[in-house]
Amino acid sequence: MFPTGTALSANDDDVAIKAPVPAIYLDLRTIYAQVPAGSLAFGFGHPTLFTALRTFDAAFPTSLRAAKSLNVDFPLTVDVTDSVSLYTGVSGNSTEFGGAGWSSFQITSWNIGIQADVYQQNGGLFPTVTLQSTFTQSIPNGPLTTTSFNNILEFDYALDPDETRGLLAGFQYTRTDVADKLVKINPNTIAYIGGYYQWPNNWKFTGRVGVQSFQGAQLASLASIQPYTQAIVRLDLDRMDDNDNRLFGVTAEIMWVPKPAYQLTVRTPLYAVRN
């Protein structure tokens, strides 16, 4: 799965030795999110929680206004092996609350994480098991600094030897801590199922549907977010190359919080080293 370099010995009769080289790329993601008033949105992988908390920096009534945000993620990713990836980077956004106009773009958080296949199916009866863990902290530090721990456990059962179609099931758990003890945000969990199909021309579609359960939040005297358990849907369309490198991707996500919140993500990886 990874690029290889060839080392030739002085003896032409020796067999060439191929050494794997890690894939290195900037997994650039541009995200548009729209969240209804009175809500915090988490969703798959990238919570818009940090956007919502930034509204506390300005004076407004004791309720969360409807929010729109344009986020850009810059995670530098290294595929150490075909089963382990490491990443770290920063995220920035521009926000709009209640029709008050868009803010200037600012860097708002940094993150570090790992994704690893703890077991690979390789044609067997048991599915591939993947664990992804991400630590995220908001910028700058202050009374409302937020720290998020996001963990995803996913099971991938391939239906053919080439792994071009298969079934998915998974669980995501997000815990958020806030520096201000008067602000309490309870855990958010998602349980989901899904599947994927990759055509011979290397376009790949993945769908996930599930249930999101948020245990509520108390944001000092500003707002109280009630617990909810609602549906969530994520649809991915990716353009891959022959070595399963992602060349382009778009993701549409709808989460009920309990009113619908929307998120659209465009992925345009920039490769330094590729398979």
Side-chain angles (χ1 to χ4, degrees):
M1 180 176 180
F2 296 96
T4 57
T6 302
L8 296 178
S9 70
N11 188 341
D12 292 338
D13 294 332
D14 290 344
V15 177
I17 301 173
K18 293 185 178 182
V21 178
I24 303 173
Y25 53 98
L26 191 67
D27 194 11
L28 183 64
R29 297 191 291 263
T30 305
I31 306 162
Y32 173 79
Q34 185 171 315
V35 182
S39 301
L40 292 179
F42 290 83
F44 286 103
H46 186 281
T48 56
L49 171 65
F50 305 108
T51 297
L53 288 182
R54 290 187 67 224
T55 64
F56 297 159
D57 295 334
F60 63 93
T62 56
S63 63
L64 293 177
R65 295 175 290 180
K68 298 177 182 178
S69 70
L70 184 64
N71 302 266
V72 182
D73 288 350
F74 306 90
L76 178 65
T77 304
V78 179
D79 293 338
V80 181
T81 70
D82 62 351
S83 60
V84 177
S85 297
L86 304 175
Y87 52 91
T88 185
V90 297
S91 300
N93 65 33
S94 174
T95 55
E96 190 266 356
F97 300 103
W102 288 85
S103 68
S104 59
F105 183 85
Q106 298 181 37
I107 299 298
T108 54
S109 66
W110 64 270
N111 64 78
I112 186 170
I114 181 173
Q115 179 174 311
D117 293 342
V118 296
Y119 178 83
Q120 292 186 324
Q121 182 179 353
N122 290 332
L125 295 177
F126 297 98
T128 295
V129 181
T130 301
L131 176 64
Q132 181 180 5
S133 295
T134 307
F135 172 89
T136 307
Q137 187 172 73
S138 61
I139 300 174
N141 292 331
L144 290 172
T145 297
T146 55
T147 302
S148 173
F149 304 89
N150 190 72
N151 295 285
I152 302 172
L153 182 67
E154 184 169 86
F155 300 87
D156 175 351
Y157 186 80
L159 298 176
D160 65 339
D162 292 333
E163 299 182 353
T164 59
R165 53 192 177 94
L167 303 175
L168 300 172
F171 180 83
Q172 174 177 300
Y173 175 85
T174 304
R175 192 190 87 202
T176 303
D177 298 327
V178 185
D180 190 336
K181 300 303 181 183
L182 296 178
V183 179
K184 181 176 177 58
I185 300 173
N186 294 316
N188 182 77
T189 58
I190 299 174
Y192 62 91
I193 59 174
Y196 58 89
Y197 183 85
Q198 184 170 333
W199 285 270
N201 60 7
N202 289 331
W203 282 98
K204 181 178 181 180
F205 173 78
T206 306
R208 295 174 177 88
V209 295
V211 175
Q212 179 173 221
S213 179
F214 177 45
Q215 298 179 27
Q218 181 59 52
L219 309 180
S221 60
L222 295 175
S224 178
I225 308 298
Q226 297 300 311
Y228 61 80
T229 299
Q230 296 285 345
I232 184 169
V233 177
R234 171 174 165 169
L235 304 174
D236 296 86
L237 183 63
D238 296 297
R239 172 65 171 174
M240 316 296 288
D241 66 13
D242 291 336
N243 295 310
D244 278 341
N245 297 297
R246 179 184 289 106
L247 303 179
F248 171 81
V250 59
T251 299
E253 188 172 334
I254 305 175
M255 61 203 92
W256 283 261
V257 293
K259 294 181 179 179
Y262 306 95
Q263 186 167 287
L264 181 67
T265 303
V266 176
R267 301 180 68 168
T268 50
L270 304 175
Y271 287 90
V273 179
R274 189 170 64 177
N275 286 354

